[in-house]
C-alpha cells in the first residue's frame, strides 16, 4: 500500500473520477454543527466548553457544569491565574462527576456589553483550543443565551474550522482536528436554528470563496472557475459564461490582451440573483486572474506562487452571490467575473502594445504585470452597458502598493460617491472586513497620461494603488462606483483572527453581504 493515492478498484463503478469520490469523502468528513437543549450539556461526553466573564464569574452554562462536577471549575480558577479576560482559556481534564474528557473555560471579558461579535470570536477560540484534543465531539454550553448569540457562536466555529486539505494524503495525527461534531447547547433550539440559517448561508459563501482562492492554478484555470460558478445554478442563480469569441465580438480588447499568452481560454462569468423587485441591480465585479506571472514583464521567482490567489476579487464576488442566493436575499444583484491567466508566451502581449477596450478607449500597455486593471476595464464597461446597475463595487487584488499603504488589516476603498463610500465603510466596521478610504485625486491623472493612446496602464511608483484606481475610473460612466483594492487582505499568513484560518480569508463576502443587508433589507 505505497503511494499517496490508493485507488479502490471499485471506484469506477460509482464515481466517474477519483476527484468526485474524494469530494464525497470530504463532504462526509466535514465537521457537523448541531443545536441541542441546554440541559444536555452537563451529561455530554467528549470535550465541553463554556464562557467565563472577566472578574471570574461563570456563565450560566459554566455554573451548571461546575455544580455537576463538584466545583471543579471554581477550584481550577482559584488555583490558576485565570481572570476571564478576553481570549484567555482554562482547561480541566477529566473532571470527576461528569463524563466530559475536557472542560474548557473561555474568557469573554466583562459581561456588560457582550455582543454577537465577541461571542463569535470566543466560540472560535474555544474550538481552536480543543480541535486536536482527541475528543470527537465538542459541546459548547450557552445556557441562558439568546438565539442570536447561539447562532453567532455557530458561525464563529464554522469559519474557524475551515481548512483547505483537499490535497493532503498524509497528515500527522497530532495536527489533524479530532472534533467531528460541535453541539451548541442553547435554551431555544428551534429559534437558534432559525437565527443561524442566514449565517450558515453566509458561511457557505465565505467557504466557497476560500476554496476557490486556495486552489492552485493548474486546477483552477478560467474555464474551471467558470464551471464551478455555473454549478451554482440550482441555488437559483442564473449564470452565463462568455468565451473568447463572444468577448471579441463585444470588443473586449483589454481583457483579451491579458489572456492572449495563455493556453487556457479567458472567460467572463455573469451571475444574476433576482431576489428584489423591478429596481436595477447592484453590480459586483471581480478581478479573476487565475495566475499572474506578470506576463512578459515577468515577476521575480521569489513568492510568485502567491499569485494563485490573484483571483481573490472574483472569488469574493462568487462567494457573495452564493451567500445571497443561499439566504434568498431581497435584492437584485449581478456578479461579473473577469477570468484570465497572465502568462508569458510567443503570443503574449508586449510592453508597448496598444489595445482597444470595449469602451472604445485605447490603452497603452506599458507593463504587462499591471493586468488586473485591463481585465476590470472591460468587465466594468460590460456591466454598465448591459445592466445599467444602480451602483458598482469592484474587488481586486490589484496592487502591491496598497499593502505598503495600509498593511494587512484594511482593504483600500476608493469611490466616486461619498454616500456609497460611507455605506461600505460602515459595513466594513460591522462585518469585520475593514476598509479604509483612499483618495482619487484628479491631479494624479497626469501619471497615467499616454503619449500614444488615451491612457496608459501604469503610473509609476508614487501612489501606485491610487493611480490604478484612477485608471479604473476611466471605465466608469456616472454610475456610483467603488473600487476595493484587496491585495493585502485576500490572503493572510499568518492570520491573527480566530475565525480566519491562515490562507484564503474570504475577505469581501461578509463585507458585501452586510452592505446588501443594511442597504436593501433593513
Ligand atoms: N496581482 C498583482 C498585485 C499584487 C501584488 C497582489 C502583491 C498581491 C500581492 C498585480 O497584478 C500587479 O502585478 N501589480 C503591479 C502593478 C505595477 C506593475 C504597476 C504591482 O503592484 O507591482
Ligand atoms: Mn500583475
Ligand atoms: Zn495581478
Amino acid at each position: 500500500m505505497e503511494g499517496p493515492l490508493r485507488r479502490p478498484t471499485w471506484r469506477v463503478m460509482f464515481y466517474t473520477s477519483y476527484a468526485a469520490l474524494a469530494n464525497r469523502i470530504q463532504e462526509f468528513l466535514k465537521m457537523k454543527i448541531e443545536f441541542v437543549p441546554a440541559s444536555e450539556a452537563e451529561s455530554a461526553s467528549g470535550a465541553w466548553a463554556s464562557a467565563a466573564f472577566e472578574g471570574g464569574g461563570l456563565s450560566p452554562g459554566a455554573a451548571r457544569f461546575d455544580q455537576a462536577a463538584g466545583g471543579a471549575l471554581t477550584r481550577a480558577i482559584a488555583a490558576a491565574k485565570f481572570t476571564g479576560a478576553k481570549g484567555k482559556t482554562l482547561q480541566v481534564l477529566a473532571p470527576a462527576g461528569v463524563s466530559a474528557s475536557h472542560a474548557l473555560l473561555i474568557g469573554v471579558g466583562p459581561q456588560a456589553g457582550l455582543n454577537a461579535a465577541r461571542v463569535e470570536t470566543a466560540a472560535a477560540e474555544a474550538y481552536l483550543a480543543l480541535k486536536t484534543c482527541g475528543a470527537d465531539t465538542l459541546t459548547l454550553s450557552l445556557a441562558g443565551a439568546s438565539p442570536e448569540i447561539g447562532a453567532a457562536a455557530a458561525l464563529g466555529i464554522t469559519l474557524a474550522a475551515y481548512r483547505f486539505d483537499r490535497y493532503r494524503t498524509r497528515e500527522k495525527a497530532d495536527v489533524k482536528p479530532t472534533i467531528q461534531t460541535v453541539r451548541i447547547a442553547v435554551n431555544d433550539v428551534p429559534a437558534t436554528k432559525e437565527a443561524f440559517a442566514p449565517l450558515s448561508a453566509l458561511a457557505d459563501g465565505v467557504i466557497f470563496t476560500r476554496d476557490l482562492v486556495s486552489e492552485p492554478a493548474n486546477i483552477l484555470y478560467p474555464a474551471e472557475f467558470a464551471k464551478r460558478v455555473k454549478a451554482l445554478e440550482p441555488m437559483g442563480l442564473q449564470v452565463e459564461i462568455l468565451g473568447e469569441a463572444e468577448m471579441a465580438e463585444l470588443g473586449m480588447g483589454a481583457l483579451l490582451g491579458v489572456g492572449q499568452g495563455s493556453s487556457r481560454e479567458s472567460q467572463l462569468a455573469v451571475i444574476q440573483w433576482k431576489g428584489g423587485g423591478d429596481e436595477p441591480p447592484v453590480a459586483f465585479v471581480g478581478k479573476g486572474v487565475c495566475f499572474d506571472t506578470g506576463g512578459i514583464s515577468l515577476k521575480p521567482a521569489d513568492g510568485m506562487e502567491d499569485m494563485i490567489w490573484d483571483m481573490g476579487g472574483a472569488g469574493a464576488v462568487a462567494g457573495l452571490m452564493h451567500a445571497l442566493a443561499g439566504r434568498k436575499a431581497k435584492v437584485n444583484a449581478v456578479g461579473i467575473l473577469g477570468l484570465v491567466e497572465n502568462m508569458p508566451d510567443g503570443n503574449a502581449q508586449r510592453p508597448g502594445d496598444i489595445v482597444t477596450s470595449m469602451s472604445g478607449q485605447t490603452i497603452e500597455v506599458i507593463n504587462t504585470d499591471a493586468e488586473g486593471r485591463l481585465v476590470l476595464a472591460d468587465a466594468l464597461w460590460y456591466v454598465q452597458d448591459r445592466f445599467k446597475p444602480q451602483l458598482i463595487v469592484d474587488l481586486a487584488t490589484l496592487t502591491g502598493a496598497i499593502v505598503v499603504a495600509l498593511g494587512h488589516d484594511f482593504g483600500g476603498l476608493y469611490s466616486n460617491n461619498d454616500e456609497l463610500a460611507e455605506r461600505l465603510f460602515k459595513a466594513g466596521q460591522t462585518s469585520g472586513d475593514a476598509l479604509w478610504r483612499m483618495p482619487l485625486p484628479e491631479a494624479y491623472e497626469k501619471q497615467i497620461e499616454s503619449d500614444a493612446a488615451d491612457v496608459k496602464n501604469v503610473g509609476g511608483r508614487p501612489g501606485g494603488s491610487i493611480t490604478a484606481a484612477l485608471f479604473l475610473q476611466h471605465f466608469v460612466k456616472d454610475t456610483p462606483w467603488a473600487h476595493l483594492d484587496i491585495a493585502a487582505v485576500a490572503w493572510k499568513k499568518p492570520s491573527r483572527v480566530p475565525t480566519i484560518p491562515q490562507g484564503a480569508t474570504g475577505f469581501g463576502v461578509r463585507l458585501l453581504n452586510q452592505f446588501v443587508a443594511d442597504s436593501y433589507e433593513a
Side-chain angles (χ1 to χ4, degrees):
M1 296 290 256
E2 276 296 310
L5 300 179
R6 272 168 270 141
R7 296 171 184 230
T9 48
W10 45 265
R11 59 121 176 147
V12 274
M13 294 193 287
F14 302 100
Y15 297 98
T16 48
S17 71
Y18 190 73
L21 171 62
N23 279 340
R24 287 300 292 268
I25 294 173
Q26 203 88 33
E27 200 58 34
F28 180 75
L29 291 177
K30 247 190 356 208
M31 193 203 71
K32 285 176 259 316
I33 296 227
E34 296 167 358
F35 296 100
V36 300
S39 55
E40 288 180 16
E42 290 78 60
S43 56
S45 56
W48 172 96
S50 192
F53 304 118
E54 179 117 52
L58 295 174
S59 66
R64 291 174 60 142
F65 186 92
D66 191 42
Q67 199 171 29
L73 297 179
T74 314
R75 282 196 301 279
I77 291 173
K81 279 196 229 141
F82 179 75
T83 59
K86 229 190 269 183
K88 295 278 189 280
T89 57
L90 177 67
Q91 211 180 133
V92 180
L93 292 178
V98 289
S99 41
S101 55
H102 302 67
L104 178 104
L105 286 176
I106 175 84
V108 294
Q111 185 168 9
L114 187 65
N115 59 13
R118 249 168 70 202
V119 169
E120 182 191 312
T121 305
E125 283 164 341
Y127 168 79
L128 293 178
L130 290 165
K131 69 174 180 178
T132 58
C133 74
D136 61 1
T137 67
L138 163 61
T139 302
L140 183 65
S141 180
L142 297 179
S146 68
E148 285 66 38
I149 291 291
L155 175 64
I157 292 176
T158 308
L159 294 175
Y162 176 79
R163 48 202 318 261
F164 185 72
D165 53 8
R166 199 167 285 179
Y167 302 105
R168 289 175 178 275
T169 66
R170 290 179 273 248
E171 194 172 19
K172 289 205 188 85
D174 57 332
V175 296
K176 213 179 197 143
T178 58
I179 301 290
Q180 299 297 321
T181 307
V182 174
R183 299 207 174 94
I184 314 247
V186 290
N187 287 20
D188 190 341
V189 170
T192 310
K193 276 188 182 161
E194 200 180 311
F196 183 54
L199 299 185
S200 173
L202 170 60
D204 288 346
V206 171
I207 287 168
F208 187 66
T209 300
R210 288 180 182 172
D211 277 343
L212 289 168
V213 173
S214 302
E215 284 284 15
N218 60 326
I219 305 289
L220 195 86
Y221 45 91
E224 172 63 21
F225 194 143
K227 193 176 124 198
R228 292 195 190 185
V229 170
K230 185 79 180 167
L232 302 181
E233 280 193 321
M235 298 187 79
L237 292 162
Q238 292 169 7
V239 181
E240 293 157 66
I241 308 298
L242 279 60
E244 289 182 354
E246 285 122 312
M247 287 191 272
E249 192 68 40
L250 289 161
M252 295 191 173
L255 185 153
L256 289 169
V258 176
Q260 103 193 8
S262 171
S263 59
R264 309 290 199 180
E265 189 182 355
S266 300
Q267 312 268 283
L268 191 84
V270 182
I271 315 168
Q272 294 184 70
W273 169 250
K274 294 177 181 162
D278 301 329
E279 75 279 4
V282 285
F284 303 101
V285 177
K287 166 179 171 181
V289 177
C290 293
F291 195 77
D292 180 14
T293 64
I296 297 300
S297 313
L298 195 64
K299 285 182 182 296
D302 221 31
M304 200 202 274
E305 70 281 5
D306 284 350
M307 289 300 119
I308 65 167
W309 47 270
D310 208 18
M311 32 57 69
V317 172
L320 171 70
M321 299 305 287
H322 193 299
L324 295 179
R327 64 177 188 79
K328 307 224 175 306
K330 292 180 186 57
V331 68
N332 293 332
V334 47
I336 307 283
L337 319 179
L339 304 171
V340 301
E341 185 182 53
N342 188 21
M343 297 293 276
D345 176 77
N347 192 44
Q349 107 177 316
R350 293 146 292 253
D353 281 5
I354 295 177
V355 294
T356 303
S357 65
M358 183 182 176
S359 73
Q361 294 171 90
T362 55
I363 304 164
E364 186 183 9
V365 180
I366 299 292
N367 188 321
T368 64
D369 196 12
E371 83 298 336
R373 62 198 78 181
L374 298 171
V375 172
L376 290 175
D378 281 338
L380 285 168
W381 196 265
Y382 176 82
V383 77
Q384 293 167 92
D385 195 57
R386 175 165 168 195
F387 292 100
K388 317 274 181 288
Q390 50 175 298
L391 61 89
I392 309 171
V393 181
D394 78 66
L395 297 94
T397 51
L398 204 63
T399 68
I402 197 67
V403 188
V404 177
L406 295 179
H408 287 284
D409 287 350
F410 300 89
L413 161 64
Y414 295 86
S415 184
N416 63 0
N417 182 294
D418 290 343
E419 191 260 334
L420 172 59
E422 193 52 35
R423 278 197 281 153
L424 285 163
F425 180 79
K426 284 220 176 83
Q429 289 189 311
T430 26
S431 69
D433 287 349
L435 298 173
W436 195 257
R437 189 157 181 199
M438 301 282 288
L440 284 167
E442 162 87 54
Y444 293 12
E445 281 288 344
K446 270 236 150 322
Q447 289 176 232
I448 54 171
E449 271 172 20
S450 163
D451 294 333
D454 297 332
V455 64
K456 64 182 179 185
N457 77 331
V458 293
R461 279 176 60 80
S465 172
I466 299 173
T467 50
L470 285 171
F471 177 92
L472 297 180
Q473 196 172 25
H474 282 247
F475 303 90
V476 175
K477 304 179 192 180
D478 36 20
T479 315
W481 156 77
H483 157 59
L484 311 181
D485 192 338
I486 61 168
V489 291
W491 179 282
K492 285 191 193 172
K493 221 174 187 178
S495 162
R496 280 173 282 132
V497 182
T499 47
I500 305 175
Q502 75 165 30
T505 60
F507 186 101
V509 179
R510 291 190 78 168
L511 170 78
L512 295 172
N513 181 67
Q514 185 75 46
F515 170 78
V516 166
D518 293 349
S519 300
Y520 303 98
E521 300 176 300

